[in-house]
Amino acid sequence: MSEQKITINGSLLAFEPGQSILEIAEENGIDIPKLCHLKGAKPTGACRMCLVEVDGWGGLSASCVTPAADGLVVHTESTKVIESRKNTLELLMASGNHNCAIGTPGGSNWEEFQEKAHEYDKGANLCPAWGDCMLQTYAYRYQVKGDMFAKSECPYPLEDTNPFITRDFSRCILCGRCVQACNEIQVNRALSIGKRGSDAKVITGIDTTLADSNCVFCGECIQVCPVGALVEKDVVKIKDHWINDKVRTTCSYCGVGCQLNLHVKDNKVIKVTGVEDAAPNYGSLCVKGRYGFDFISSPERLTKPLIKKDGEFIESSWDEALDLVSNKFNEIKKEHGADALGVFTSARITNEENYIAHKFTRAVLKTNNIDHCARL
Ligand code: SF4
Ligand code: FES
């Protein structure tokens, strides 16, 4: 146990050398606002939301990039800190289109705030991340209206020329999380920050579209975007899409076992996100895991067995289909022996299903001819 201690908001806390003030705070349940910090990537100190006041240091320090030192006394919500955060939020909301932030003088009720925002926007151009946006959350927390500075328009048009992701540059706060997620976590290297000053934007390649870049549409950038700048193209068309039930499951596309949250609305899966704090994927997914769920509610799914009769597939009952298959198995076994039969299972089905297939092959068919194919 380390002997080094730091005081945060009056609590004396032990830490390991090398830990940042933000890490120690989070470990001890102290919530410091942050917009650019991305777990698993190198801290950049870009957004200035995590500023804290350290006794004797004069100015404010970004807690995500400031290593702790023995004896430091830190304040995360001092008057100076709150003033600075309010200014940062005002500046962010003045740049681009963040239309959910409304004046709520004296308001302290989240429901009331949301209802007013809905009314204010008249549902017409509501941000697709409404209700699930860190900028909105912090604006409410610090009661920031977004009317302190003159608004600046975003010069870049919305991009949705691919089947999966909508990029709305007018809502981007240039936190850089998508760039880090793409380069440091998924290592696809499709995104970077391009241009300079007020023209800065997240670019792909030499500022082409996602579809024309080397983006593999893993969706990691959507998962980490704290605002509504990157969203799933289909999901945002669903009314009140942010109100959904989360069901945790294991991806069945391959044997890695990535942990997924299925977002279910009206008994339909509307989107998939990776489970952040669980092995093996820690929030990351591939294009199949994140977007390959249409088949679940597809009207083209077979719900009854089909038997080919006179060259045509005819719907039948399960009894008829199972009797047919079992008779054929018995015929082959009788004529050629059990080893004339074999079973291929799949890496895409569950362990339990594979176990049943193995039991069926060995105990019922009486052969050891069983294998799996990764592509089935
Ligand atoms: Fe940050 Fe989202 Fe803009 Fe990327 S698109 S820089 S994650 S706000
Ligand atoms: Fe520390 Fe953004 S979270 S500067």
Side-chain angles (χ1 to χ4, degrees), residues 44-349:
T44 58
C47 75
R48 317 310 282 169
M49 273 303 286
C50 70
L51 293 188
V52 293
E53 191 170 359
V54 181
D55 281 358
W57 278 15
L60 300 176
S61 310
S63 59
C64 65
V65 287
T66 307
D70 196 29
L72 287 189
V73 178
V74 178
H75 309 276
T76 69
E77 297 284 334
S78 68
T79 312
K80 252 167 104 178
V81 166
I82 290 174
E83 247 348 272
S84 159
R85 276 190 201 139
K86 282 185 169 186
N87 272 324
T88 303
L89 289 167
E90 288 283 2
L91 283 166
L92 288 174
M93 288 196 300
S95 152
N97 178 22
H98 308 287
N99 54 344
C100 63
I102 54 154
T104 51
S108 59
N109 180 309
W110 173 248
E111 298 286 322
E112 190 193 338
F113 173 75
Q114 302 286 22
E115 273 167 26
K116 279 188 187 168
H118 234 335
E119 222 174 86
Y120 169 85
D121 271 315
K122 300 195 175 41
N125 190 23
L126 201 58
C127 172
W130 192 87
D132 185 23
C133 167
M134 292 315 292
L135 186 59
Q136 186 187 34
T137 303
Y138 293 141
Y140 175 68
R141 174 160 157 184
Y142 293 102
Q143 296 288 290
V144 166
K145 299 179 192 173
D147 59 358
M148 189 187 280
F149 303 108
K151 301 259 177 217
S152 62
E153 295 297 319
C154 169
Y156 307 115
L158 182 135
E159 179 198 314
D160 65 352
T161 49
N162 67 77
F164 304 113
I165 300 174
T166 297
R167 299 168 85 195
D168 184 345
F169 298 97
S170 75
R171 301 192 189 277
C172 175
I173 56 171
L174 288 172
C175 65
R177 281 165 63 99
C178 55
V179 176
Q180 285 195 292
C182 187
N183 295 315
E184 294 178 41
I185 295 177
Q186 290 288 49
V187 202
N188 288 324
R189 301 202 174 93
L191 300 178
S192 59
I193 304 270
K195 309 196 186 274
R196 289 288 175 270
S198 56
D199 286 339
K201 76 183 278 211
V202 175
I203 59 167
T204 43
I206 49 161
D207 200 9
T208 172
T209 62
L210 278 180
D212 289 331
S213 74
N214 53 346
C215 170
V216 296
F217 294 100
C218 64
E220 187 83 5
C221 54
I222 298 185
Q223 174 122 0
V224 302
C225 182
V227 293
L230 295 167
V231 287
E232 291 91 351
K233 200 169 165 181
D234 288 342
V235 181
V236 296
K237 294 178 198 146
I238 300 168
K239 189 172 176 290
D240 298 344
H241 58 86
W242 56 87
I243 306 168
N244 57 58
D245 295 322
K246 253 198 240 173
V247 182
R248 182 166 164 177
T249 188
T250 302
C251 182
S252 58
Y253 271 113
C254 77
V256 171
C258 289
Q259 293 301 294
L260 314 175
N261 281 317
L262 304 178
H263 296 250
V264 182
K265 188 172 184 68
D266 300 331
N267 208 27
K268 269 181 89 169
V269 175
I270 59 164
K271 77 168 179 177
V272 172
T273 51
V275 178
E276 296 279 354
D277 292 316
N281 52 314
Y282 296 100
S284 298
L285 294 172
C286 70
V287 64
K288 292 180 290 177
R290 197 176 298 275
Y291 297 109
F293 57 85
D294 286 10
F295 68 92
I296 301 172
S297 307
S298 168
E300 286 175 20
R301 273 187 85 155
L302 294 182
T303 53
K304 289 189 178 148
L306 302 176
I307 295 177
K308 206 171 199 178
K309 291 177 183 164
D310 300 327
E312 262 187 70
F313 283 113
I314 310 288
E315 274 192 2
S316 70
S317 68
W318 282 106
D319 281 346
E320 191 188 352
L322 289 171
D323 283 348
L324 177 74
V325 173
S326 118
N327 288 338
K328 295 252 179 197
F329 279 158
N330 281 330
E331 274 171 30
I332 294 169
K333 234 167 118 174
K334 209 163 150 195
E335 220 171 298
H336 305 285
D339 282 341
L341 293 164
V343 172
F344 269 120
T345 64
S346 168
R348 293 184 180 179
I349 62 176

